[in-house]
């Protein structure tokens, strides 16, 4: 999603490979590079590349000039690919990875240096994921805070489209790098870091030499490089928050493109499973990037599928508010399932079949559209119409509610709020609970578990499984569907009394049958961090919902009562 004046979506020129051998027939995959993070135990990291058909490839992992392990494989005919799975390793490093190709008397060697083992997260979506650190609140402070996070490594994929699934990335905007910024003080420290970053090994053993080579990441500041141009702020801040908790290396891969609908990020098979039509829809203004089916899946996601991942975070949906909106409750969960299956298979089973998948529920937007239903419907469909995650259709998922992070004065348009710190913090809480199994950690806001109709009192009582904090009473954010003479209309249900786990709504305005209830069902439900309901200990906002009222029990549904 891109605001007026920030229309991106241009196809950038392809970046050359960071470093290959003199013989281009033998090389690592495009994203295997100096400073990378490989997935730690219990999974095994996948190392792969291209070579001469029939050649033997020996992959050696070294640390402090000591060989840790060796793996031997053959270059496959036709595909000219080779692949090994390393034994699981504990977090840490640095290591060196060496690949040696042997065919007859020919012997070629490749190396990558300063390799860490930790958790690898893929970050994808549209412009709110693509926004960089320089575009967010307190950018100067955030950009100066990189020295303590040199074990959080970052990579950004080039903006490329493809009609068919690519096996390797066509381009990398930012090769694996330690985080740097021009706001970091200390010229000598920066010069020393750059010197190490330019190290290149050309020897035949596990011994580093200071010899700069082509494609090294020298003299480049990589956080806040430009508006909507690497590195993703949400991705970086999420990884930084995880590192603060885990205290071991984190690898972050940003692969996102502004103004793109989910159809561009989905495989053909997943779109077919949801019955997505190939033609017949007029694209709305928010769709400014590639919208053709699967073109970004083919070029920016599928080439990564051999990589061993810990998980994925996703921030997308604005471009579907008026584009195949009613299919999003299928296309999004199906995308998650398809990505999981593809990465599991591509990594030889090393990426977990149900790897954790986190996402950001859409924030607010000052829309001038006639209908105010687009964003609420997408927010709802992002949960597969359950209102919360994990759920039966979306296992092992987590969500950051962002509807209270509105930004009227964002220079990038209100659809691009600048508070990405809170987004990342809420996402990392979900990751700690779902991906890392932290018990007793609150990671989602309160959602009612039961509705009780007290008709004689003119009240509707909501009971919550969590404690609730009523930050302010609101007369309009709750609405009831009131039906009479076969016609229904939504009416405000003012908040009345409340306790630590219940809330009563005044329904006296309804003189017919009360059939449904909804909460925060607008594009802009409240001002910045001023929604009525939160969890008291963690200030997580209550998510939006819509529900039938039947038998005094809660029955969530995806359509407004008719």
């Amino acid at each position: 999603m891109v605001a007026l004046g920030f229309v991106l979506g241009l196809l950038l020129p392809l970046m050359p490979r960071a470093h290959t051998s003199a013989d281009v027939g033998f090389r690592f995959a495009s994203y295997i590079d100096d400073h990378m993070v490989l997935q730690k135990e219990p999974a095994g990291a996948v190392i792969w590349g291209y070579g001469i058909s029939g050649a033997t490839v020996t992959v050696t992992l070294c640390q402090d000039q000591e060989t840790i392990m060796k793996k031997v494989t053959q270059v496959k005919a036709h595909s000219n690919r080779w692949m090994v799975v390393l034994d699981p390793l504990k977090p840490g490093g640095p290591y060196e990875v060496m690949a040696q190709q042997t065919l007859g008397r020919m012997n070629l060697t490749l190396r990558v240096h300063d390799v860490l083992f930790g958790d690898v997260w893929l970050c994808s979506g549209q412009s709110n994921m693509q926004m960089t650190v320089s575009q967010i609140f307190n950018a100067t402070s955030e950009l100066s805070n990189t020295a303590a996070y040199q074990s959080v490594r970052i990579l950004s994929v080039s903006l490329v489209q493809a009609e068919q699934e690519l096996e390797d990335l066509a381009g990398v905007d930012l090769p694996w790098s330690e985080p740097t910024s021009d706001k970091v003080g200390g010229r000598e420290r920066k010069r020393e870091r750059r010197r190490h970053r330019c190290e290149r090994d050309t020897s035949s053993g596990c011994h580093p030499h200071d010899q700069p080579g082509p494609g090294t990441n020298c003299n480049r500041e990589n956080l806040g490089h430009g508006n909507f141009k690497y590195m993703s702020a949400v991705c970086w801040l999420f990884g930084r928050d995880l590192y603060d908790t885990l205290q071991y290396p984190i690898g972050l891969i940003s692969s996102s493109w502004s103004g793109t609908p989910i159809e561009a990020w989905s495989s053909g098979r997943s779109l077919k499973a949801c019955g997505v039509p190939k033609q017949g829809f007029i694209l709305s203004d928010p769709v400014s990037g590639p919208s053709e089916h699967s073109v970004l899946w083919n070029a920016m996601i599928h080439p990564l599928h051999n990589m061993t991942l810990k998980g994925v975070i996703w921030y997308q949906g604005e471009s579907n508010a008026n584009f195949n909106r009613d299919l999003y409750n299928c296309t999004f969960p199906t995308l998650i399932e398809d990505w999981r299956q593809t990465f599991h298979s591509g990594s030889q089973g090393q990426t977990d079949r149900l790897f954790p998948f986190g996402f950001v529920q859409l924030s607010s937007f000052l829309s001038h559209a006639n209908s105010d239903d687009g964003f609420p419907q997408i927010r709802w469909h992002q949960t597969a119409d359950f209102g919360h995650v994990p759920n039966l259709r979306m296992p092992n998922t987590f969500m950051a509610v962002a509807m209270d992070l509105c930004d009227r004065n964002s220079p990038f348009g209100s659809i691009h709020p600048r508070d990405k710190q809170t987004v990342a913090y809420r996402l990392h809480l979900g990751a700690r609970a779902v991906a890392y199994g932290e018990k007793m950690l609150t990671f989602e806001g309160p959602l009612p578990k039961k509705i009780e109709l007290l008709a004689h009192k003119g009240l509707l009582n909501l009971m919550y499984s969590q404690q609730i904090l009523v930050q302010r009473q609101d007369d309009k954010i709750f609405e009831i569907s009131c039906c009479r003479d076969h016609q229904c209309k939504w009416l405000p249900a003012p908040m009345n009394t409340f306790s630590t786990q219940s809330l009563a709504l005044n329904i006296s305005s309804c003189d017919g049958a009360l059939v449904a209830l909804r909460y925060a069902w607008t594009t802009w439900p409240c001002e910045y961090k001023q929604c009525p309901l939160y969890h008291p200990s963690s200030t997580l906002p209550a998510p939006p919902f819509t529900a039938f009222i039947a038998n005094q029990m809660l029955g969530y549904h995806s359509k407004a009562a008719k």
Side-chain angles (χ1 to χ4, degrees):
M1 222 357 293
V2 189
L4 185 63
F6 292 91
V7 178
L8 303 179
L10 298 176
L11 182 64
L12 300 186
L14 299 184
M15 300 291 289
R17 261 282 292 133
H19 50 107
T20 63
S21 67
D23 183 345
V24 295
F26 181 47
R27 66 176 178 88
F28 286 116
S30 59
Y31 55 79
I32 295 177
D33 210 338
D34 294 345
H35 315 299
M36 76 180 302
V37 176
L38 294 172
Q39 183 57 42
K40 72 170 186 66
E41 64 180 5
V46 174
I47 302 293
W48 72 283
Y50 294 89
I52 299 174
S53 177
T56 298
V57 176
T58 303
V59 176
T60 307
L61 186 72
C62 304
Q63 187 176 42
D64 297 329
Q65 304 181 26
E66 177 185 353
T67 297
I68 305 299
M69 74 176 76
K70 283 190 177 184
K71 299 289 180 178
V72 181
T73 189
Q74 302 292 125
V75 179
K76 293 183 178 180
H78 307 299
S79 69
N80 292 326
R81 291 197 299 269
W82 54 268
M83 179 182 293
V84 299
V85 178
L86 301 181
D87 298 334
L89 284 177
K90 293 180 179 180
Y95 293 88
E96 179 183 75
V97 176
M98 178 177 70
Q100 190 171 42
Q101 177 181 259
T102 305
L103 183 63
R105 301 173 69 177
M106 182 178 63
N107 195 318
L108 295 171
T109 301
L110 305 171
R111 286 176 176 77
V112 290
H113 304 290
D114 187 28
V115 176
L116 304 180
F117 282 79
D119 282 338
V120 182
W121 286 85
L122 171 62
C123 312
S124 187
Q126 56 181 114
S127 55
N128 270 304
M129 181 63 82
Q130 199 176 10
M131 282 180 73
T132 67
V133 180
S134 62
Q135 294 177 267
I136 65 175
F137 286 135
N138 302 317
T140 300
S141 174
E142 299 292 359
L143 288 169
S144 68
N145 187 22
T146 61
Y149 296 99
Q150 295 301 293
S151 292
V152 180
R153 305 291 176 81
I154 54 180
L155 178 148
S156 187
V157 174
S158 294
L159 307 184
V160 179
Q161 305 177 58
E163 293 299 320
Q164 303 294 329
E165 290 180 346
L166 304 184
E167 288 303 315
D168 196 12
L169 293 172
V172 174
D173 274 353
L174 175 68
W176 280 108
S177 305
E178 298 167 296
T180 61
S181 96
D182 57 6
K183 301 298 191 295
V184 178
R187 291 183 178 179
E188 293 303 319
R189 178 167 56 82
K190 289 174 68 178
R191 187 178 298 119
E192 180 68 10
R193 187 176 300 133
R194 284 172 178 160
R195 186 183 69 81
H196 287 300
R197 191 173 295 116
C198 292
E199 287 179 353
R200 172 60 62 90
D201 188 348
T202 58
S203 68
S204 60
C206 292
H207 305 279
H209 300 274
D210 286 347
Q211 185 175 349
T216 50
N217 184 34
C218 305
N219 302 317
R220 170 177 285 177
E221 313 304 347
N222 53 44
L223 283 179
H225 191 70
N227 290 345
F228 302 103
K229 185 176 180 182
Y230 68 84
M231 173 64 180
S232 163
V234 170
C235 191
W236 161 250
L237 296 167
F238 170 79
R240 194 183 70 181
D241 286 344
L242 281 183
Y243 180 81
D244 285 340
T245 298
L246 301 171
Q247 291 295 301
Y248 60 68
I250 301 292
L252 302 170
I253 301 161
S254 176
S255 184
S256 53
W257 195 326
S258 296
T260 50
I262 196 171
E263 289 78 5
W265 297 100
S266 303
S267 71
R269 59 187 166 271
S270 62
L271 294 175
K272 183 178 179 181
C274 291
V276 179
K278 290 187 177 181
Q279 297 178 347
F281 285 83
I282 299 174
L283 297 182
S284 58
D285 290 339
V287 184
S288 61
S291 60
E292 293 80 6
H293 287 192
S294 308
V295 291
L296 303 185
W297 158 260
N298 292 338
M300 297 178 66
I301 300 298
H302 186 268
L304 301 168
H305 78 290
N306 292 338
M307 179 184 294
T308 309
L309 294 180
K310 174 64 177 180
V312 169
I313 59 171
W314 170 264
Y315 196 159
Q316 189 277 335
E318 298 93 337
S319 288
N320 286 98
N322 296 301
F323 180 59
N324 289 337
R325 178 204 312 160
D326 292 339
L327 294 174
Y328 204 89
N329 58 357
C330 179
T331 51
F332 185 42
T334 303
L335 175 144
I336 296 172
E337 169 63 18
D338 185 63
W339 284 28
R340 283 172 168 170
Q341 177 61 60
T342 302
F343 276 86
H344 178 72
S345 299
S347 65
Q348 310 298 303
Q350 298 305 306
T351 297
D352 193 274
R353 176 63 183 81
L354 291 176
F355 63 73
F357 195 109
F359 63 93
V360 183
Q361 196 178 51
L362 292 192
S363 185
S364 301
F365 176 37
L366 288 173
S367 173
H368 301 292
N370 293 330
S371 172
D372 198 34
D373 205 42
F375 267 42
Q377 287 285 354
I378 289 293
R379 290 184 190 122
W380 187 245
H381 291 335
Q382 285 179 298
T383 68
D385 301 344
F386 280 80
H388 64 91
V389 294
N391 58 52
L392 292 176
R393 289 189 62 200
M394 300 175 67
N396 216 31
T397 59
F398 54 96
M399 172 177 73
V401 175
M403 67 180 183
D404 66 331
L405 302 181
C406 45
D407 189 352
R408 289 180 180 272
N409 301 314
S410 172
F412 314 105
S414 63
I415 203 165
H416 297 123
R418 288 167 288 175
D419 183 359
K420 294 299 191 276
Q421 292 91 334
T422 301
V423 169
Y425 176 76
R426 291 172 180 174
L427 269 178
H428 112 282
L429 288 179
R432 285 169 57 186
V434 173
Y436 296 97
E438 280 196 44
K439 307 297 182 185
M440 310 303 292
L441 177 67
T442 300
F443 67 98
E444 54 188 352
L447 195 69
K449 64 176 181 178
K450 183 180 179 182
I451 295 177
E452 184 179 18
L453 179 61
L454 305 176
H456 63 289
K457 294 183 179 181
L459 297 175
L460 194 65
N461 198 40
L462 282 61
M463 284 149 281
Y464 292 81
S465 56
Q466 292 178 295
Q467 288 190 352
I468 61 172
L469 169 66
V470 178
Q471 183 166 269
R472 64 180 182 85
Q473 290 187 269
D474 189 292
D475 292 340
K476 297 179 180 180
I477 201 164
F478 281 101
E479 296 174 290
I480 50 176
S481 179
C482 185
C483 300
R484 185 177 183 181
D485 298 328
H486 305 289
Q487 290 187 338
C488 299
K489 58 182 178 179
W490 288 103
L491 301 172
M495 298 168 62
N496 196 295
T497 59
F498 56 89
S499 66
T500 56
Q501 287 188 254
S502 67
L503 172 67
L505 304 176
N506 187 327
I507 57 170
S508 59
S509 61
C510 181
D511 58 357
L514 196 160
V515 298
L517 170 70
R518 66 188 188 186
Y519 173 73
W521 205 261
T522 65
T523 301
W524 191 281
C526 56
E527 294 303 317
Y528 180 74
K529 292 190 176 180
Q530 290 297 312
C531 280
L533 296 178
Y534 287 82
H535 185 277
S537 65
S538 56
T539 62
L540 292 172
F545 72 86
T546 180
F548 285 119
I549 298 172
N551 300 322
Q552 300 181 1
M553 294 298 292
L554 193 61
Y556 294 112
H557 66 109
S558 61
K559 301 291 185 183
K562 297 289 181 72

